[in-house]
Amino acid sequence: MTSTSSSPVTETILNFIDGSYRKGSEGKSFPNVNPATGSQIGLVHEASQADVADAVAAAKAALTGPWGKMTTAERVKLIAAVATEIERRADDFLAAEVADTGKPRHVASHIDIPRGAANFRMFADVVSTMPGESFNTSTPDGGQALNYTVRKPKGVVAVVCPWNFPLLLMTWKVGPALACGNTVVVKPSEETPRTAALLGEVMNAVGMPKGVYNVVHGFGPGSAGEFLTSNPDVDAITFTGETGTGQAIMQKAAIGVRDISFELGGKNPAIVFADADLDKAVEGLSRSVFLNTGQVCLGTERVYVERPIFDAFVARMAAAAQGFKPGVTGDRAYLGPLISAEHREKVLGYYRRAVEDGATVVTGGGVPEISGAEAGGFFVEPTLWIDVAHGDTVMREEIFGPCCGIVPFDSEDEVIALANDTVYGLCASIWTENMSRGHRVAAAMDVGVCWVNSWFLRDLRTAFGGSGHSGIGREGGVHSLEFYTEITNICVKL
Ligand SMILES: NC(=O)c1ccc[n+]([C@@H]2O[C@H](COP(=O)([O-])OP(=O)(O)OC[C@H]3O[C@@H](n4cnc5c(N)ncnc54)[C@H](O)[C@@H]3O)[C@@H](O)[C@H]2O)c1
Ligand SMILES: N/C(=C\C=C\C=O)C(=O)O
């Protein structure tokens, strides 16, 4: 059986438990909608609490089966095979991701799918090259002791994922989790179930022992998400999503003292100094505001521009914004839809709030005229505001749409204070040709990641994550090992 099966009504998307696809045991299902058209294209089978328990039990059993007995080299070989199989089936993953998200094909083909493979390959490399730690210890009796550490998998890891980069963000967690010898139960977003389900076919194709990778579909509270994070046999929880959801999951993790790794929301600032290369800044920031229709946690929703170039910058950004034509078909393709009608209403609510609070709409601010197949899609106009106050709602709350407020500043100290005045701490970008200032201001940002004259440039070996309301912990390269392994220090008296 495969991840999906066509039926007269519509394609069904199944759970993947203990190496097999199956419907939910309580017969519940929910619609799978293409955001570019607003039409239902699938039916997702919701996992019951019993199904989730079966998935966790299968993951737990796999830890003491062939998977748990594998050497690192054998595990690494399998994980590298997963990456290769994703690349071999790139077209299938691309079709699934585009169906679920409605995003333009070139966004998914250049970002989402390649990272799906890279995330496995990266951590196969990390665990096969990661050095251990040891110390030669002088002991009080004048002798010696040897101290060294061994790393062991944490066990069953719950992976709860968002909808904006479904394959990328799920594999960013599953890759290191499996590389370190854990097993996983994935709960993809209810909006985007397909690629997580399809990955089950890849796992079977490469011979991954059953129970290592499991997928349960459903929602959060009172559904698969809560059933999973509440299951006492889950040893750790890694979550990417909204800050409020993180707080709810953290309460569940506290029962049984389970470790958590959180990548949450943000309200990321950009600072453009008067000496910035405007071509670079406009290219980078227009991507940062409009890529994935602004549905990027690392995206920029507030830009501070040094006053002498404020008008020029606004004009350039407005021209760039108008180049992002809503729609995903034909030669206009760039700005895809928002993920759902509900999310579009949320974003349009912020569009209205900005004007109510006195903002001037430089461009956009509403819903585009779209005819044809995409008329029912969840599109909004790319939008820029000026005459916004730093304290306005649209400058403080995460919108997660294709919009940003632009505010002038006059001094370095002033703009550092403005940029850091937020409960979040995910990322920032600094645009200046004065590199001592670039280094200085970047170090002054209270964030997990700061780019200088660039945005969303990713070296997967680097520490990635946020502080404050943007998350707990860092993942990437060896940093992921801190979450996905337990350490035992062994001291041998010589
Ligand atoms: N920091 C990052 O790297 C990063 C990356 C991508 C997205 N995000 C954030 O994710 C958000 C957008 O994604 P979203 O709308 O899917 O987030 P969300 O929090 O609404 O949902 C994320 C996942 O959590 C599940 N969930 C919801 N409530 C739950 C509960 N009580 N218990 C268990 N699971 C629950 C959902 O079903 C979904 O699978 C934005 O805030 C964005 O900033 C952050
Ligand atoms: N976690 C990562 C990206 C997050 C994107 C947020 O929308 C990554 O690049 O590893």
Side-chain angles (χ1 to χ4, degrees):
M1 202 171 190
T2 58
S3 61
T4 59
S5 58
S6 292
S7 65
V9 174
T10 180
E11 199 170 23
T12 59
I13 295 125
L14 301 170
N15 301 287
F16 183 71
I17 297 172
D18 205 20
S20 302
Y21 287 100
R22 70 192 215 198
K23 296 180 178 178
S25 61
E26 290 177 357
K28 288 184 185 175
S29 60
F30 55 92
N32 172 242
V33 171
N34 177 353
T37 62
S39 55
Q40 181 175 346
I41 53 169
L43 198 65
V44 190
H45 283 266
E46 185 174 353
S48 65
Q49 185 156 19
D51 297 323
V52 172
D54 286 351
V56 174
K60 187 173 182 177
L63 291 168
T64 52
W67 175 251
K69 299 182 175 65
M70 274 185 195
T71 63
T72 300
E74 289 165 332
R75 216 170 46 232
V76 161
K77 192 173 171 198
L78 256 186
I79 286 159
V82 169
T84 303
E85 184 67 3
I86 289 173
E87 287 165 341
R88 190 183 72 81
R89 296 195 59 181
D91 289 346
D92 297 334
F93 279 96
L94 179 59
E97 201 74 303
V98 168
D100 265 351
T101 61
K103 68 176 75 180
R105 288 177 64 85
H106 65 75
V107 174
S109 62
H110 285 77
I111 298 176
D112 300 67
I113 309 311
R115 274 293 305 275
N119 288 343
F120 282 102
R121 197 156 277 132
M122 166 73 210
F123 290 103
D125 291 347
V126 167
V127 297
S128 47
T129 56
M130 170 71 183
E133 176 186 83
S134 67
F135 299 94
N136 289 316
T137 309
S138 297
T139 54
D141 63 0
Q144 289 285 312
L146 171 65
N147 276 282
Y148 66 97
T149 55
V150 293
R151 287 182 180 272
K152 292 171 253 180
K154 266 210 166 94
V156 176
V157 179
V159 182
V160 182
C161 313
W163 46 254
N164 58 322
F165 290 104
L167 183 67
L168 187 161
L169 290 167
M170 181 265 289
T171 55
W172 179 239
K173 308 302 189 146
V174 171
L178 299 192
C180 293
N182 300 285
T183 57
V184 298
V185 180
V186 173
K187 211 298 284 174
S189 171
E190 53 277 22
E191 307 287 0
T192 53
R194 289 169 181 261
T195 46
L198 182 57
L199 189 60
E201 292 183 23
V202 169
M203 295 297 174
N204 284 345
V206 304
M208 187 66 75
K210 64 180 187 172
V212 171
Y213 174 82
N214 303 278
V215 179
V216 290
H217 296 301
F219 304 85
S223 185
E226 185 175 1
F227 300 151
L228 178 60
T229 53
S230 308
N231 187 301
D233 286 330
V234 164
D235 298 302
I237 301 168
T238 182
F239 166 69
T240 301
E242 291 186 2
T243 299
T245 307
Q247 286 165 341
I249 292 174
M250 200 166 181
Q251 289 175 9
K252 299 297 182 188
I255 302 162
V257 194
R258 276 85 58 78
D259 199 359
I260 53 170
S261 173
F262 278 177
E263 293 186 4
L264 306 177
K267 191 65 178 182
N268 309 310
I271 301 174
V272 184
F273 286 96
D275 73 333
D277 176 324
L278 265 192
D279 292 338
K280 274 189 229 171
V282 169
E283 188 284 326
L285 287 178
S286 55
R287 262 187 318 113
S288 180
V289 175
F290 302 117
L291 176 71
N292 212 36
T293 316
Q295 299 168 126
V296 183
C297 62
L298 300 165
T300 301
E301 293 192 354
R302 49 192 181 114
V303 181
Y304 301 96
V305 180
E306 199 164 10
R307 202 175 296 276
I309 63 159
F310 183 81
D311 293 344
F313 176 81
V314 170
R316 291 284 302 272
M317 279 294 282
Q322 284 145 16
F324 289 90
K325 300 296 181 193
V328 290
T329 53
D331 60 2
R332 306 170 302 144
Y334 195 91
L335 202 74
L338 295 171
I339 191 68
S340 65
E342 181 191 6
H343 186 54
R344 177 164 71 168
E345 276 317 303
K346 175 184 170 185
V347 172
L348 290 175
Y350 281 108
Y351 282 17
R352 289 189 293 273
R353 182 61 187 270
V355 173
E356 286 162 8
D357 290 352
T360 299
V361 179
V362 176
T363 184
V367 176
E369 287 289 323
I370 292 191
S371 56
E374 295 167 358
F378 312 127
F379 296 96
V380 294
E381 292 176 324
T383 297
L384 298 176
W385 302 294
I386 57 173
D387 302 327
V388 280
H390 165 72
D392 283 356
T393 298
V394 294
M395 292 292 281
R396 303 196 69 73
E397 294 181 10
E398 178 184 63
I399 299 171
F400 223 53
C403 53
C404 88
I406 309 173
V407 171
F409 73 89
D410 296 300
S411 78
E412 183 176 310
D413 289 347
E414 174 202 4
V415 74
I416 289 172
L418 290 171
N420 285 332
D421 178 24
T422 172
V423 294
Y424 293 106
L426 188 54
C427 77
S429 63
I430 313 295
W431 304 84
T432 176
E433 292 300 298
N434 173 339
M435 286 324 298
S436 62
R437 175 159 64 189
H439 288 284
R440 181 174 66 244
V441 175
M445 294 292 100
D446 297 334
V447 294
V449 182
C450 187
W451 283 283
V452 179
N453 295 333
S454 58
W455 178 75
F456 208 5
L457 273 184
R458 291 281 291 115
D459 180 324
L460 305 188
R461 296 167 298 183
T462 58
F464 182 94
S467 53
H469 288 209
S470 290
I472 294 175
R474 295 293 185 273
E475 296 198 27
V478 296
H479 303 279
S480 295
L481 301 189
E482 294 312 318
F483 176 69
Y484 291 105
T485 65
E486 288 291 357
I487 288 180
T488 299
N489 182 78
I490 297 169
C491 176
V492 180
K493 185 72 176 68
L494 302 175

